[in-house]
Amino acid sequence: MSASSAALSDAEVERRVSALLRQMTLEEKTGQLTQIFYKFIPDSATPEERIRKGEAGSYLFVTDPAEVNRLQRVAVEQSRLHIPLLMGFDVIHGFRTIFPVPLALAASWDPVLVEQVQTIAAREAHAAGIRWTFAPMVDIARDPRWGRMVEGAGEDPFLGAASARAQVRGFQGPYIGSPEHVLACVKHFAGYGAADGGRDYDSSYIPDVSLWNTYLPPFHAAVQAGVGSVMSAYMDLNDVPATGNRFLLQDVLRQSWGFRGFVVSDAFAIRDLTTHGFARDEQDAAYRALTAGIDMDMGAKSYLSNLALLVRQGRIPEAAIDNAVRPVLAAKIRLGLFEHPYVDVSRAQQILNAPEHREFARIAARRSAVLLRNQGALLPLSKNIASLAVIGPLADSQKDLQGSWSFAGDPSEVVTVLQGIRNKLPPGVSVAYAKGVEIRRRYPSMFDALQNVSPAPAPTAAEIEEQFDKAVSVARRSDLAVLVLGEHEDMSGEGASRTSLDLPGDQERLLKAVVATGKPVVLVLINGRPLDLSWAAEHVPAILEAWYPGTQGGNAIADLLFGDASPGGKLPVTWPRSAGQIPIYYAHNRTQQPETSPEFTSRYWDLPSTPLYPFGYGLSYTQFAFSNLQLRQNRVKAGERLEVSVNVENTGNRAGDEVAQLYIHQQSGSASRPVRQLKGFQRITLAPGEKKTLRFMLGQEELSYWSPQEKKWVEEPADFDLWIGPDSTATLHATFAIIP
Ligand code: GLC
């Protein structure tokens, strides 16, 4: 078992922190502000040496419970003050059980599910000795060229805030130190997703109006949910690196939001303040980061090497070091590390292999998938089919289904799409497999370099053609073909930006060749961002977006393909027709001539400026009707609440899920307001013919925005449009007004 069964009082924590601080030397304090990589990055001293000398307060990437105990024993028994280590790790979407990637979880539009997923992830990580996860990642992303879109909750601040709250609750439980829970760390503060060109780590230029209304709300939601730590971002924001940015770290995080946890830099981001050309040298970098509000140094040891000197030179008061150490020690005390520094290794194995965790991963993968097309109701398929071809470079790949940030997962446990289909169908059905094409990055992933993994040798031209022809002939000999296409797990995530959204490699040529056989084709996508489906959207009857679905992905996809579950997910991002449309997002301003005006069909002359699929879009195996939109009041004063209700009916012949989405538009104000903004959603399950009345409340939280004219949050007298429907193009409409 772990920490206390109730939250420690602030006074008790403060007393214990102060008592410790009084005993600590300046070097021991800077040691507590130092986090060191256990893997991937070589160190000049062994962990034992560092820990014994009090030079490390935290390690990251120690994932073996026995190793955690070994290093903790050095800290607790051999260091001078016996302060335990805080073990951190990227538990982003699972630990040993890998769940769908965060973008997929966002596509479930089910915060309860998201909280349950992160509760299980925390339980597994905690059992292994991890007490701190570097999640949730809440960066708003509106540029799918950016590889890290996969790690967040998409483009919308309302959906992103709901995801942030749910994840913090899931990881931390009701309080920091809750049994079998871990400290959460909301990241990357802030504006990382707006990188120029979608190029990872590149500069972000975000005006205040977008910072406050779009990029900051999910972070604020995490802080309001009690997140215990924050991670600063790599890039510079409006020319000031986030890791040395007083506006972010002091004005916003501590002054405006009252955050009282601690801030850790991203990996080497303190040292890299010199890379930015912001800090003169590493000592200056340490000075800038500490004085801006970074408490802990991840990976660089810049604090270890420079802070004591800066104090002795009189450039930094020791009280500033104490202020950084306090929240770190407070976290260790709240987590119960002093009372319970060790884990039970045998119990860890039981928890890491709990079958109920794998079963829940299957449920999560089912609820995260989005049905993009189902022409002629091709899906769900019959299990009485005589023969089936399963084709594609991702059809029988285990590692790819885990997605990025799955280092503690076991790829050998992953159920592939091919295996899931074979598990599903009776023995007499012929299920043939062909890989069809190879896909690979042009430049290797940085994680390969860090793990000394060299790419497999490229196939010869003859091998390429042979496997392509084999795939087409396998399709020709079958009654139906399931193509499993998309991106390798290293084609999304960190250091995985792209200039195009094309299906990598020869996948589209393979898709066209299989469609040309005349057999019915189902396309299953394994990917971490919208891809260019312009051709498939016209020629492939059924398209299921499965994202990176995790350990049980193959079984979940087979459940959906054969109707043992119905897809009910919705897109958390706008799906472009082409990379040329980027940035493209639904909550845009009208500015000039809307595309709806007759003489102005598009802002481009070569493509519509509308997306291929809108934000919030997703089909089902049944149909739903929205009706009877009612507002209890049509006129409210600022600060008053508005109650809205709507009926949703399942008009089809199968049970299914719908996500009712509520959007508003403020028609005038001290600033132009987006044509639509999500301000409410509810996912419901309805039996055939069943009708439900849903209720939504709108109040100051939903009706205010940060005004660039007023330079503050306002709720203004104005007329509003309101829509409720199945996606961001909802047509069921009403109006209301905020009156003076
Ligand atoms: C990485 C990522 C960050 C992660 C950290 C530790 O570079 O930017 O999201 O938590 O390093 O792995």
Side-chain angles (χ1 to χ4, degrees):
M1 271 305 279
S2 74
S4 60
S5 55
L8 291 172
S9 72
D10 289 352
E12 168 65 6
V13 171
E14 199 37 54
R15 183 190 63 75
R16 291 176 59 179
V17 166
S18 299
L20 255 179
L21 263 178
R22 280 193 291 272
Q23 305 171 56
M24 294 171 77
T25 65
L26 183 53
E27 281 68 17
E28 286 166 333
K29 292 173 185 175
T30 59
Q32 287 300 310
L33 304 181
T34 298
Q35 181 182 59
I36 297 178
F37 273 89
Y38 177 72
K39 274 182 191 161
F40 295 148
I41 313 290
D43 187 5
S44 56
T46 66
E48 293 81 350
E49 288 163 347
R50 293 269 183 218
I51 297 165
R52 212 170 281 130
K53 288 162 66 178
E55 292 180 344
S58 171
Y59 269 84
L60 71 158
F61 277 96
V62 188
T63 53
D64 170 57
E67 186 61 2
V68 167
N69 282 345
R70 192 181 70 80
L71 296 180
Q72 277 295 20
R73 211 166 292 287
V74 175
V76 171
E77 296 176 6
Q78 300 173 32
S79 75
R80 191 177 76 85
L81 291 175
H82 318 295
I83 300 173
L85 297 165
L86 179 57
M87 295 302 188
F89 183 60
D90 292 283
V91 187
I92 309 298
H93 54 107
F95 184 72
R96 168 67 61 76
T97 304
I98 302 299
F99 292 93
V101 289
L103 190 65
L105 293 173
S108 74
W109 291 60
D110 184 350
V112 170
L113 174 87
V114 173
E115 181 176 343
Q116 290 168 314
V117 160
Q118 301 303 26
T119 298
I120 293 172
R123 182 165 186 253
E124 291 190 359
H126 185 279
I130 303 295
R131 289 290 182 276
W132 182 26
T133 177
F134 308 125
M137 188 276 212
V138 302
D139 298 304
I140 293 290
R142 295 177 160 181
D143 185 338
R145 293 172 297 179
W146 187 51
R148 303 196 75 168
M149 171 180 269
V150 67
E151 299 176 43
E155 74 181 59
D156 183 75
F158 189 87
L159 185 62
S163 168
R165 279 189 289 270
Q167 292 196 63
V168 169
R169 284 194 304 264
F171 284 128
Q172 294 188 165
Y175 57 87
I176 293 173
S178 297
E180 300 196 294
H181 285 78
V182 297
L183 186 73
C185 181
V186 66
K187 70 184 185 184
H188 305 80
F189 193 58
Y192 187 14
D196 273 358
R199 287 182 298 278
D200 206 358
Y201 315 123
D202 216 314
S203 301
S204 292
Y205 291 95
I206 308 176
D208 282 356
V209 65
S210 301
L211 262 181
W212 287 111
N213 290 315
T214 303
Y215 289 89
L216 290 176
F219 287 95
H220 192 197
V223 170
Q224 289 174 316
V227 72
S229 64
V230 172
M231 182 186 291
S232 67
Y234 281 128
M235 82 299 140
D236 50 32
L237 173 64
N238 303 328
D239 290 346
V240 180
T243 301
N245 194 309
R246 303 180 64 81
F247 165 72
L248 284 177
L249 298 166
Q250 296 300 342
D251 302 355
V252 175
L253 187 61
R254 278 136 171 155
Q255 307 312 324
S256 179
W257 295 347
F259 175 68
R260 293 174 49 225
F262 67 91
V263 179
V264 62
S265 72
D266 203 337
F268 304 100
I270 292 175
R271 180 200 65 194
D272 284 340
L273 291 179
T274 54
T275 310
H276 284 272
F278 178 72
R280 189 176 52 256
D281 53 29
E282 190 162 2
Q283 187 179 94
D284 186 35
Y287 174 83
R288 304 269 194 112
L290 194 282
T291 53
I294 303 289
D295 299 307
M296 187 183 285
D297 170 2
M298 179 188 281
K301 297 193 278 293
S302 303
Y303 277 7
L304 194 65
S305 315
N306 293 285
L307 285 188
L309 187 61
L310 285 165
V311 170
R312 295 200 169 94
Q313 287 172 346
R315 292 194 57 207
I316 293 181
E318 186 158 355
I321 309 296
D322 293 353
N323 289 342
V325 176
R326 284 184 183 282
V328 173
L329 294 178
K332 292 186 175 184
I333 291 165
R334 290 187 188 281
L335 288 166
L337 277 169
F338 287 83
E339 293 77 14
H340 305 283
Y342 308 118
V343 290
D344 176 336
V345 177
S346 57
R347 185 164 180 277
Q349 294 315 322
Q350 288 173 342
I351 290 173
L352 294 183
N353 293 294
E356 66 271 22
H357 294 177
R358 307 295 191 273
E359 190 44 41
F360 199 76
R362 181 169 181 167
I363 293 169
R366 290 201 303 242
R367 292 183 68 80
S368 302
V370 181
L371 182 60
L372 297 176
R373 196 171 193 239
N374 194 18
Q375 202 70 16
L378 176 61
L379 294 176
L381 303 174
S382 161
K383 295 175 188 169
N384 300 324
I385 191 166
S387 62
L388 194 68
V390 182
I391 296 167
L394 302 168
D396 198 33
S397 167
Q398 292 184 298
K399 191 168 185 314
D400 290 315
L401 261 60
Q402 291 191 145
S404 63
W405 297 107
S406 302
F407 294 104
D410 178 353
S412 69
E413 284 189 338
V414 172
V415 179
T416 68
V417 179
L418 175 64
Q419 288 162 347
I421 290 173
R422 284 182 167 153
N423 294 343
K424 181 66 68 178
L425 295 178
V429 178
S430 152
V431 180
Y433 163 68
K435 188 172 189 177
V437 295
E438 300 279 343
I439 57 174
R440 59 181 52 219
R441 291 175 46 136
R442 175 174 177 179
Y443 305 112
S445 153
M446 68 168 185
F447 289 106
D448 283 352
L450 284 171
Q451 300 175 89
N452 302 314
V453 169
S454 46
T460 64
E463 286 165 337
I464 288 170
E465 275 318 298
E466 183 191 348
Q467 74 175 355
F468 188 97
D469 295 344
K470 179 194 168 201
V472 177
S473 64
V474 161
R476 197 170 281 119
R477 292 198 306 273
S478 303
D479 294 340
L480 180 142
V482 176
L483 265 80
V484 188
L485 308 177
E487 298 174 309
H488 277 317
E489 56 86 24
D490 68 359
M491 294 177 168
S492 268
E494 184 174 356
S497 295
R498 299 180 59 190
T499 60
S500 112
L501 301 180
D502 297 346
L503 282 166
D506 251 353
Q507 294 183 97
E508 185 149 292
R509 184 166 77 93
L510 176 66
L511 180 61
K512 288 177 175 175
V514 172
V515 167
T517 66
K519 301 292 184 178
V521 173
V522 176
L523 172 59
V524 174
L525 288 167
I526 305 294
N527 54 308
R529 55 160 58 87
L531 296 173
D532 185 339
L533 296 181
S534 303
W535 186 86
E538 297 291 323
H539 299 90
V540 178
I543 304 174
L544 181 71
E545 172 56 78
W547 313 105
Y548 296 109
T551 306
Q552 280 288 317
N555 281 334
I557 289 167
D559 292 341
L560 293 163
L561 293 180
F562 292 93
D564 290 340
S566 293
K570 301 279 185 173
L571 293 178
V573 287
T574 298
W575 194 289
R577 300 172 190 277
S578 151
Q581 292 179 302
I582 294 168
I584 182 169
Y585 47 93
Y586 85 93
H588 59 82
N589 291 0
R590 177 167 292 127
T591 68
Q592 280 300 336
Q593 289 278 18
E595 288 83 333
T596 47
S597 54
E599 73 280 1
F600 206 69
T601 48
S602 174
R603 300 285 171 89
Y604 304 106
W605 60 260
D606 59 345
L607 269 184
S609 58
T610 52
L612 183 62
Y613 302 116
F615 174 83
Y617 170 83
L619 301 176
S620 166
Y621 289 156
T622 184
Q623 294 74 41
F624 297 95
F626 287 77
S627 63
N628 195 24
L629 174 55
Q630 297 285 335
L631 279 65
R632 182 179 286 271
Q633 317 84 340
N634 285 87
R635 299 161 63 78
V636 292
K637 288 188 175 165
E640 291 180 345
R641 290 162 71 81
L642 176 69
E643 183 174 336
V644 185
S645 66
V646 71
N647 291 345
V648 187
E649 181 178 1
N650 179 342
T651 56
N653 55 16
R654 289 177 66 97
D657 280 22
E658 179 58 288
V659 179
Q661 301 162 42
L662 186 155
Y663 295 87
I664 66 167
H665 166 59
Q666 179 172 331
Q667 295 179 9
S668 64
S670 62
S672 310
R673 303 301 302 135
V675 293
R676 296 214 176 183
Q677 286 180 285
L678 180 72
K679 293 296 181 183
F681 62 88
Q682 291 180 40
R683 178 168 177 161
I684 54 172
T685 302
L686 294 175
E690 185 182 3
K691 181 190 288 189
K692 260 186 193 169
T693 299
L694 303 182
R695 298 190 188 294
F696 298 86
M697 294 300 283
L698 296 177
Q700 191 162 53
E701 177 79 21
E702 291 77 23
L703 300 176
S704 302
Y705 72 99
W706 191 88
S707 165
Q709 284 258 65
E710 310 292 334
K711 302 278 187 230
K712 64 179 182 181
W713 290 91
V714 297
E715 187 184 3
E716 297 172 321
D719 292 330
F720 286 76
D721 295 296
L722 182 148
W723 299 268
I724 295 185
D727 60 48
S728 55
T729 66
T731 53
L732 191 56
H733 174 254
T735 58
F736 67 91
I738 294 180
I739 56 177

